[in-house]
Amino acid sequence: MSVVSGTKAKMASQKVECDGKEDQVHLMRSISLVPAISFIMGTMIGSGIFIAPKGVHINTGSVGLSLVVWVLCGLLSTFGALCYAELGTSFKKSGGHYTYLLETLGPLPAFLRLWSEFIFIRPAVTGYISLAFGHYVIEPFFTPCQAPLLLIKVASFLGLTLLVAVNCWSVSLSSRTQVILLIIKVLSLVLIIVPGIVALAKGKTENFQNGFNLEALTLAKLPLAFYAGLYAYSGWFSLNFVTEEVINPKRNIPFAIILSMITVTTLYVLVNVAYYTMMTENELLISDAVAVTFASKALPRMASLVPVLVAMSCLGTMNAGIFSVPRMLLVAAREGQWPTLFSMIHIRRKTPIPAVLLLCPLMVIMLARGDIYQLINFASFSRWFFIALVTLGLLVHRYRFPDHPRTFKVPLAVPVVFTVVCFFIVGLSLYSDPWNTGCSFAVTFTGIPVYYLTIKHSYIPNRWRKAINYYTSQLQILLEVVQQEVQTY
C-alpha cells in the first residue's frame, strides 16, 4: 500500500533542517547492556511468578513435582533464549519471531506469526497481565471480602492506558521506566525469598514432607503445568524485537540474555521454595493473589506493601510488551506485509505511534472479557508453536547457509532439544485443553486466506486502495509520522 509522496514531503517540511543523522527520523540505537538486561528481566519478572505457582501446582499435584517443573521450565527457557541469542546476532533487523521466520522459513509462516500476535497473542498476554495488576491494586482494599470485578478491570484499564501513553511519548522515558520498575520487581522478590529461606533454615520443612505425589500427576495435565511455568519465564525473547535499537547488538544481546536467564531462574526457584515453606498446598490453591497470602503470613507488618510491589512488577512486564511488539508491526509494514502507516515514526519523538495505538483496541477487548487462566492457555499454544517454528527455522538456516556469519553460535543439541520439547508440549496440549488450544489453532490459521487475498496475490479492489491511501495520508498528518529516513539494519 503506497503512501502519497506529497504527504511525506509535507510532513518532512515540518522538521528542522539539519545535516546530522541524529536529526533524521529513525529508531535510535539507545539501548546499552544495562537497559538490555533490565528489558529482558523486566519482561520476564511480572505477574507470572505471582500467578503461575497456582497453575503449576494444580496440574502437578505436589510440591516436589512443582519445583521440578519450575527448574525444567527455566532450563528450557534458557535453551530457547540461547537460540534467540544466535538469531539476534545473525540477523540485524528488529521484529523478533516475525523476522526470523521470514528469513528462515519464508513469508507465510512469518505472516501467520504476525497475524496471531496482533489478533490474540499480544491482546491476551497484555489482558492477563493487566488483570493481575488490577487484582493486586484493588483486592487489598476489600480483604477479606472479594473485590468487585468491574473495579479491578477499571484499574487494569487505567494502568494499560498509562503505559500506552508513555510508549507513544518517548523511547527514553519508556526505557527509564523499565529500569525503575525492574528495581521494584527484584525488591519484591527479595522480600518474599528472605523470610521464606530464613524460616526453612530454622527447620520449617513440614510442607515439604512427602513432596512427590506421583499419583496426582497425569499426562494430560503435564503440558498445562509447563504452560503455566513457561508463562512466568516468557519474555526472554523480548530484546530480539528491538535489535535495531541495541548498541553493539553482537555483544550485548548474548550477554544480556545469558545474564538475565541465570538471574531469573535462580530467583524463581527460590521464590517457589519460599512460597511452599510458608504456605500449605491448600492455601496456595485457594489464593488468587499468592504473594498477598504469603505476605499476610510471613510479613504481617509489610503485608500492605507487597501488593503494591507486585502491581508495579506487572506494570513493568506490560511496559516491555507495549514497547517491543509494535516493532514487529513496524518491520512487517516495512516488508510489505502490513499497512504502510504502521512502518512510520513520529517526526520528533522517534516513536512508532501508529503501531502502538493499533494494538490498544484488541487489548482492551481482551481485558474486558477475559479470565486470567483461560487467557494464559489460549495464548500459550500459538506462542509456543511459533517459537518452535523459529528454532526449527534456525536449524534449517544452518543447514542451507552453513557459511552465514554467526558471531554467537550455540551447540546443535540446544536448538534440537528445545524444538522437539516445544512441539511435544504443543501437541499434547491439544489433548489436555482442546477447547482453548483448538480455538487458538483455528484463529491462527484464519491468517492464511488473509495472506493470499491481500499480500500474495493482492485482490484488493482499486477503490479500496485509493481509500486506504487517502486515509493513510490523513492519519500521517494527524499523527505527525513519516517513514524512516535512515536504514538501521
Side-chain angles (χ1 to χ4, degrees), residues 46-53 136 188-189 192 275 288-291 310 313-314:
S47 60
I49 189 58
F50 309 111
I51 294 174
Y136 278 101
S188 65
L189 295 187
I192 292 171
Y275 282 154
D288 287 326
V290 177
V310 176
S313 182
C314 295

Side-chain angles (χ1 to χ4, degrees), residues 282-402:
N282 288 334
E283 286 174 331
L284 186 143
L285 292 175
I286 64 174
S287 174
D288 287 326
V290 177
V292 174
T293 305
F294 176 91
S296 65
K297 297 193 66 169
L299 301 164
R301 294 182 181 179
M302 301 181 65
S304 60
L305 177 62
V306 170
V308 176
L309 294 175
V310 176
M312 294 300 101
S313 182
C314 295
L315 276 183
T317 302
M318 274 198 291
N319 181 64
I322 295 169
F323 181 86
S324 60
V325 174
R327 273 65 178 175
M328 179 191 287
L329 300 179
L330 183 146
V331 172
R334 210 167 56 191
E335 296 288 339
Q337 288 200 343
W338 207 247
T340 308
L341 177 67
F342 303 105
S343 66
M344 298 183 187
I345 300 167
H346 195 275
I347 59 175
R348 292 185 302 277
R349 306 201 178 282
K350 310 297 192 296
T351 57
I353 288 179
V356 174
L357 294 178
L358 179 65
L359 293 168
C360 293
L362 289 176
M363 288 179 179
V364 172
I365 291 171
M366 201 71 77
L367 164 65
R369 298 181 60 86
D371 168 80
I372 289 178
Y373 292 102
Q374 285 184 344
L375 289 175
I376 291 173
N377 290 341
F378 184 62
S380 292
F381 168 80
S382 188
R383 170 181 270 187
W384 285 98
F385 172 70
F386 281 108
I387 288 174
L389 281 184
V390 169
T391 52
L392 176 63
L394 169 63
L395 294 171
V396 171
H397 193 265
R398 275 197 188 185
Y399 176 77
R400 293 177 60 197
F401 305 100

Side-chain angles (χ1 to χ4, degrees), residues 22 110 112 147 162 212 235 337 341 358 402 407 478:
E22 66 274 6
L112 291 179
L162 171 66
F212 289 90
Q337 288 200 343
L341 177 67
L358 179 65
T407 308
L478 177 65

